Amino acid sequence: MSEEMLAQLIGQAETEGAKLVTLRAVAEEAGTLGAQRALERLGLADAGAAKDMAELRELLGAWRDAKRSALKAAFQWAGRMAAALLLVGLAVKLGFPGWLK
């Protein structure tokens, strides 16, 4: 239907000398037709596409949360290891192994 409307508007633009209103209608119909074709090529033109996109956004959000949590845990682990190494270094420097004898 949009293809027919676009063809009709283009024909009208040719015969009328392309008035501004006609050109705007041509641009709007061309944009709509292009968007519909793009959605069809991506497989998102069916009725379940909105639900699929919502699920994909939810999955992406969960992935980002998991990635953020993993990075936070890794930095905490690295901080604890650095603190442990510092304590071991202080213990050796202060002669703690000698106290154990």
Side-chain angles (χ1 to χ4, degrees), residues 62-73:
W63 167 253
R64 288 178 178 156
D65 289 343
K67 187 170 62 169
R68 191 177 310 117
S69 295
L71 283 172
K72 184 178 176 183

Side-chain angles (χ1 to χ4, degrees), residues 29-94:
E29 286 298 319
T32 301
L33 182 60
Q36 287 173 347
R37 285 183 181 170
L39 288 173
E40 287 172 5
R41 287 181 183 155
L42 291 172
L44 298 173
D46 61 345
K51 182 182 174 191
D52 293 342
M53 290 302 294
E55 288 177 359
L56 284 173
R57 287 176 187 246
E58 185 178 333
L59 181 63
L60 183 59
W63 167 253
R64 288 178 178 156
D65 289 343
K67 187 170 62 169
R68 191 177 310 117
S69 295
L71 283 172
K72 184 178 176 183
F75 281 120
Q76 286 177 346
W77 180 82
R80 288 180 182 139
M81 290 301 292
L85 287 173
L86 179 67
L87 287 175
V88 168
L90 283 172
V92 169
K93 182 78 171 173
L94 295 174

